[in-house]
Amino acid sequence: SLYQLAGNQCYLFDNLSKLGFKQNLMLDHNGVFGDFLKEVRENGGMQSPLMDQSKLPVNLLSFDGSPVYDDLATLNRWMQSPDIPAGGRSATFYNILPLHDGNHYPGQSKTADYKARGQKLFDELDAFFTELEKSGRKVMVVVVPEHGAALQGDKMQVSGLRDIPSPSITNVPAAVKFFGIKARHPDAPIIINQPSSYLAISELVVRALDGKMFDENDINWQQYIANLPQSAAVSENSNAIVIQYQGKPYVQLNGGSWVPYPQ
């Protein structure tokens, strides 16, 4: 059903556009594999043109040989873009894939080391966040991973295999960070550990939508995160469904019986 048309109220970026936010679309890849760019447009309501990728440095190649552009260079282009006026309201969708399986360095066929790629990505995000803070812009950044890489494996699947959407692969941390607020940031990150999904993220966006919290001298963070929509933990692909039942994961393979997921 995720690939069918939904009600208009479900399209976050489309709704932000209607509220006066200029829509922007960025990728650190060409979006060709799996018709990704087409799916973002058809299933995500993102109709804005793709941000210019010309002359961006290439650090990695995807498993299909297509370029994966340097994320810091891509983000810096966003910072300098005339399409993102410093005083205007905009909403940017940015999809990245440096941690995808099969990425390799140009001239090499071996998959690039995951730890090195992960360290580079977090270093680049940190550098971008530093510049964003210096810029004085009022920005809400939301980071949402697609899934884990199954680096360790478990009793059902060897390392790197993702045929079954197990909790260790699909239970991923999302993050929200604010820039340009007058109030003091909390001394430590605020952890939301109840079952959450895109509904909770959308609600956090809505609660920050009027921009008033950026100018408040003191933000009630607990009120901001209170009573978010909770989502039951369900992971599904064409062959398997994994759910949480009474605190334990259960799996159904190819429409068969439900069995406890081996721990």
Side-chain angles (χ1 to χ4, degrees):
S1 297
L2 289 173
Y3 296 90
Q4 308 302 317
L5 287 174
N8 288 335
Q9 74 275 13
C10 297
Y11 292 95
L12 181 62
F13 277 84
D14 194 39
N15 284 316
L16 289 172
S17 293
K18 292 173 182 174
L19 292 171
F21 286 79
K22 179 175 172 54
Q23 193 184 97
N24 299 283
L25 174 61
M26 296 164 53
L27 306 175
D28 71 357
H29 54 99
N30 60 22
V32 172
F33 180 78
D35 277 336
F36 180 81
L37 183 55
K38 180 182 176 184
E39 286 192 351
V40 168
R41 296 204 186 288
E42 292 182 353
N43 301 326
M46 293 290 301
Q47 302 307 323
S48 55
L50 181 62
M51 193 184 82
D52 176 36
Q53 297 176 326
S54 61
K55 298 183 180 179
L56 286 171
V58 175
N59 287 323
L60 290 164
L61 298 178
S62 184
F63 69 92
D64 63 354
S66 60
V68 180
Y69 301 109
D70 182 88
D71 286 292
L72 184 57
T74 309
L75 288 165
N76 284 338
R77 182 168 290 186
W78 174 88
M79 283 275 283
Q80 298 155 8
S81 171
D83 294 332
I84 321 280
R89 282 153 61 95
S90 64
T92 301
F93 175 78
Y94 181 37
N95 179 263
I96 65 175
L97 49 75
L99 301 185
H100 270 210
D101 204 19
N103 286 355
H104 55 281
Y105 297 116
Q108 300 181 15
S109 57
K110 179 185 175 184
T111 297
D113 179 67
Y114 189 89
K115 182 178 180 180
R117 286 184 283 146
Q119 187 65 57
K120 184 176 188 301
L121 175 62
F122 280 105
D123 287 347
E124 290 180 334
L125 287 176
D126 190 51
F128 171 67
F129 289 163
T130 299
E131 291 304 310
L132 201 51
E133 195 73 70
K134 287 180 185 175
S135 75
R137 296 189 190 190
K138 300 173 181 178
V139 181
M140 176 186 189
V141 174
V142 184
V143 180
V144 185
E146 182 186 13
H147 56 71
L151 292 177
Q152 288 187 303
D154 58 27
K155 292 182 179 179
M156 284 284 282
Q157 298 183 112
V158 298
S159 172
L161 194 63
R162 299 191 301 267
D163 290 353
I164 301 172
S166 64
S168 63
I169 297 171
T170 57
N171 183 16
V172 293
V176 176
K177 186 172 176 63
F178 287 92
F179 298 85
I181 57 175
K182 286 176 63 177
R184 179 183 170 184
H185 283 277
D187 293 330
I190 299 169
I191 307 297
I192 301 169
N193 51 24
Q194 63 258 36
S196 305
S197 187
Y198 56 87
L199 296 174
I201 289 172
S202 296
E203 179 64 23
L204 288 173
V205 171
V206 169
R207 292 179 184 183
L209 202 57
D210 60 12
K212 291 180 180 178
M213 64 189 299
F214 287 94
D215 297 317
E216 292 176 0
N217 292 318
D218 187 34
I219 297 172
N220 186 334
W221 292 105
Q222 292 306 318
Q223 181 180 2
Y224 176 66
I225 67 168
N227 302 315
L228 291 172
Q230 295 192 26
S231 305
V234 181
S235 302
E236 183 176 358
N237 61 23
S238 56
N239 302 313
I241 307 174
V242 179
I243 64 169
Q244 294 285 333
Y245 178 67
Q246 296 183 344
K248 296 180 180 179
Y250 283 75
V251 60
Q252 182 191 61
L253 298 175
N254 300 313
S257 300
W258 287 100
V259 296
Y261 194 93
Q263 298 294 292

